[in-house]
Amino acid sequence: MTSSAAAPTLSARRRTLALVSILLSTLTGTIDTSIVNVALPKLATDLHVAPSETVWVATAFLLAVACSVPATSALGDQIGRRRLYLIGVPVFTLASLGCALAPTLAVLVAFRVVQGIGSAVVLAVAIPLIRRLFPPERLGQTLGLNAMTVAIGTSAGPTLGGLILAALPWPWLFLINVPIGVASFVLALVVLPKGVPERGDYDWPGAVWAAGAIAALLVGVRQLAAVATLWHALVLLVVCAVCVVLFVRRERMAARPLIPLGLFTGPFSLTVGTAWASFLGQGIAFVALPFLFQTAYGASPLESALLFTPWPLVIVVVAPLSGRIADRVRPAVLALTGLVVLTIGLVMLALLGSAPPIWLVLLSTAVCGLGYGTFQSPNNRDMMAAAPLRYAASASAVLNTNRTVGQSAGSAVVSIALVVSGAAAGSMAAQSSAASAVLWVAVVAAAAATILSAVKLRVTAAVPLGR
């Protein structure tokens, strides 16, 4: 059923309530990608583990999302997107409760995996559900709200985490999801319209190979820091390569491929690469900055969150404006401009030193928010426009997977830096040194994204989009 066919049967109030449910679930899922980052130093102390091990609390969630999104996107066509959404929301909510009650790091990481799977289900069906709820003339506005929700959720996590930790113990980072999840589920149960699943052959082999490749890549990269067991990393990277080969072979012959290979045209691939590099830089910064603020500057979790606050606040203001401006100028030009500003902001953070004035820290994070807020919406628009219409759902899956893989790789890079620097032994000076040094990797990632964006700008000048 198309969006244009389904939309007239729904009242404006019902559409609005359905959108509220979807955006609430999307917001909590994206907030949880980074809300624990500010708590990692405290988790290391409370759970009596090395700081490098606590990074798994962030990595496990992102890893689960990245591995699950491709499979769940296609599963929505199989069993119905409404039904899948009504499974994903309670899974995420109950796993959040499990995280809050976890007595050990291992149990916490396990529930974070389940929580990530629930979040992946929600992210996979959010955009297709919105497309079905609203008529074509309102899709731009509603998809823009979804993009802004993702940007705000991803960026606001550290700030919200710091505010919570200022008054409450760390389990409340997860308990706040429970009432929101219950409200979102009840709303969806009442107002989301039933759809007709598109029955057909589900690409189970493709789902397995895609998940295997993503998991092996991210875990393998993280294991590179363990010199004593370096062969583990090498084996995992080989497994990743094998899974990629098997995935490509499967997609070429599948009747209904999980990710159609025809999707990856020149402009689309460049847009994906640009986004991935930017997500890598952002992922590094989001995990490294709490360590830097709390070790080098002696900030409390709340003070750390306040130092980070300009990043999401600026995004709240800039992202909607960027989306509107993209209707009047070439989105690729706006995306490139945003990446240049983001790179400058990350350079400013990397050059802060050991005792910077507070205004300079706030200015640096604000510049990062300005750049990222300017970049994301136009780049997402370019990605969707570069995909043929028949591949719109697959393009959405690639977008979500790309974000979580990039952010997961960023947290893995920080973990490697903590191990290599000796911060695993609990040295505050080593943690500070590692956090400061790894920010330069974020700068390199943002610079690479800028270069790819410039190449994309030249290519898209001659290639028509939206075939």
Side-chain angles (χ1 to χ4, degrees):
M1 185 177 291
T2 65
S3 58
S4 58
T9 66
L10 302 176
S11 67
R13 179 173 177 273
R14 188 174 176 185
R15 286 179 192 158
T16 301
L17 290 175
L19 181 63
V20 168
S21 171
I22 295 169
L23 294 183
L24 279 175
S25 296
T26 300
L27 182 65
T28 53
T30 51
I31 282 177
D32 269 65
T33 64
S34 58
I35 193 171
V36 300
N37 293 355
V38 73
L40 295 183
K42 183 171 179 57
L43 283 173
T45 301
D46 290 356
L47 298 178
H48 309 289
V49 295
S52 60
E53 293 302 313
T54 63
V55 177
W56 270 111
V57 179
T59 302
F61 179 87
L62 293 169
L63 182 62
V65 174
C67 292
S68 303
V69 163
T72 52
S73 296
L75 194 59
D77 294 334
Q78 198 74 11
I79 69 173
R81 295 187 181 104
R82 177 184 184 272
R83 183 179 300 171
L84 193 59
Y85 181 80
L86 291 175
I87 293 172
V89 173
V91 167
F92 176 83
T93 304
L94 291 174
S96 297
L97 181 61
C99 289
L101 300 176
T104 66
L105 179 66
V107 174
L108 176 57
V109 169
F111 275 113
R112 285 284 281 173
V113 170
V114 179
Q115 193 187 34
I117 294 171
S119 178
V121 170
V122 171
L123 291 174
V125 298
I127 291 179
L129 282 174
I130 291 173
R131 288 174 66 93
R132 181 167 176 260
L133 284 168
F134 291 88
E137 61 270 18
R138 292 193 59 191
L139 276 180
Q141 178 186 2
T142 51
L143 289 177
L145 286 173
N146 183 73
M148 185 178 72
T149 300
V150 171
I152 293 171
T154 304
S155 303
T159 299
L160 180 60
L163 292 173
I164 291 172
L165 290 178
L168 299 165
W170 65 261
W172 282 94
L173 297 174
F174 306 104
L175 286 175
I176 61 168
N177 294 331
V178 176
I180 298 174
V182 171
S184 180
F185 177 78
V186 171
L187 271 179
L189 193 64
V190 174
V191 301
L192 271 183
K194 295 181 180 180
V196 180
E198 301 176 10
R199 301 294 178 183
D201 295 330
Y202 182 74
D203 187 15
W204 284 109
V208 172
W209 299 134
I214 294 169
L217 172 65
L218 296 178
V219 178
V221 168
R222 190 180 185 279
Q223 290 294 327
L224 287 174
V227 178
T229 56
L230 186 61
W231 68 273
H232 290 173
L234 299 178
V235 169
L236 286 168
L237 294 178
V238 170
V239 169
C240 172
V242 171
C243 287
V244 168
V245 171
L246 293 173
F247 175 75
V248 171
R249 289 181 60 183
R250 171 63 189 178
E251 299 309 276
R252 284 176 176 168
M253 66 176 63
R256 294 182 61 199
L258 201 70
I259 303 293
L261 299 182
L263 179 63
F264 291 91
T265 61
F268 184 84
S269 297
L270 284 170
T271 306
V272 170
T274 300
W276 187 87
S278 72
F279 291 135
L280 174 65
Q282 184 200 49
I284 291 172
F286 279 14
V287 178
L289 286 176
F291 281 102
L292 181 66
F293 293 158
Q294 294 178 42
T295 56
Y297 308 159
S300 66
L302 175 59
E303 291 168 339
S304 177
L306 293 176
L307 289 174
F308 192 86
T309 296
W311 193 319
L313 282 184
V314 172
I315 286 179
V316 171
V317 176
V318 171
L321 295 176
S322 179
R324 292 178 185 176
I325 296 172
D327 290 331
R328 299 177 176 86
V329 303
R330 289 186 63 195
V333 173
L334 203 56
L336 177 59
T337 303
L339 285 173
V340 171
V341 175
L342 174 62
T343 304
I344 292 171
L346 289 172
V347 169
M348 292 172 65
L349 285 172
L351 291 174
L352 283 176
S354 59
I358 292 178
W359 68 264
L360 183 57
V361 179
L362 297 175
L363 176 63
S364 301
T365 53
V367 171
C368 289
L370 175 62
Y372 192 78
T374 303
F375 158 76
Q376 189 179 45
S377 293
N379 194 71
N380 287 353
R381 175 175 171 163
D382 263 356
M383 186 182 297
M384 299 305 293
L389 292 177
R390 64 187 182 277
Y391 295 151
S394 296
S396 175
V398 171
L399 189 155
N400 286 318
T401 303
N402 198 40
R403 179 178 65 250
T404 50
V405 170
Q407 292 170 339
S408 297
S411 65
V413 168
V414 177
S415 180
I416 290 172
L418 289 170
V419 171
V420 170
S421 69
S427 166
M428 298 286 281
Q431 291 179 40
S432 171
S433 176
S436 180
V438 81
L439 284 174
W440 285 108
V441 182
V443 171
V444 172
T450 304
I451 294 170
L452 286 173
S453 186
V455 173
K456 181 191 70 175
L457 182 61
R458 291 178 59 89
V459 170
T460 56
V463 178
L465 301 179
R467 294 168 299 285

